[in-house]
Amino acid sequence: QVELVESGGGSVQPGGSLKLSCAASGYTSSGYYMGWFRQAPGKEREGLAATDNDGVLKSYADSVQGRFTISKDNLKNTLYLQMSSLKPEDTAMYYCAAVSARRVWPGLRQSGYDYWGQGTQVIVSS
């Protein structure tokens, strides 16, 4: 069973930066596709970024393209999301997700992921 634990959330002023981490455990020898999602109060969960196991294939939502960067350190079994130029509308609970790379590339589709973390809160406010 894969376990995902996010960290790095917090409060930041508009225009600031944060780096989220997602530590994974319980991996099998096969690779994993991984992604970042967020959910703001009263809104649906939104896919933000996804990466293949090697960090070569990446997808980004239009809302974060050019501001957020997804990366993966397979030696540390950790996924990252570097967020810059943060806006108040980026305030949300942020989740990481994973699915075996033997499955179809999920991109930003929630239904394409099997494993989810518990989330880390990001607040962007002056």
Side-chain angles (χ1 to χ4, degrees):
Q1 182 71 16
V2 175
E3 182 179 4
L4 305 174
V5 180
E6 301 95 335
S7 61
S11 296
V12 63
Q13 293 188 340
S17 299
L18 276 178
K19 187 173 185 177
L20 305 184
S21 299
C22 172
S25 61
Y27 272 175
T28 64
S29 58
S30 62
Y32 286 80
Y33 299 131
M34 298 190 74
W36 285 99
F37 294 76
R38 70 184 178 191
Q39 188 167 19
K43 295 187 177 181
E44 294 185 354
R45 189 169 295 188
E46 173 189 15
L48 302 177
T51 181
D52 66 359
N53 188 58
D54 298 322
V56 175
L57 176 62
K58 298 181 181 180
S59 293
Y60 291 95
D62 290 343
S63 58
V64 303
Q65 179 76 49
R67 298 190 300 123
F68 292 8
T69 301
I70 189 171
S71 61
K72 197 168 179 277
D73 186 334
N74 288 334
L75 293 179
K76 296 182 178 180
N77 284 343
T78 301
L79 179 74
Y80 302 99
L81 185 68
Q82 177 67 53
M83 306 185 295
S84 60
S85 302
L86 285 163
K87 307 173 182 179
E89 51 264 44
D90 293 319
T91 295
M93 186 70 79
Y94 283 69
Y95 301 89
C96 66
V99 65
S100 170
R102 294 175 179 174
R103 301 274 294 276
V104 173
W105 165 247
L108 303 181
R109 293 181 296 109
Q110 292 185 54
S111 61
Y113 292 87
D114 289 338
Y115 307 104
W116 292 84
Q118 83 291 346
T120 185
Q121 180 71 48
V122 172
I123 299 173
V124 184
S125 175
S126 55

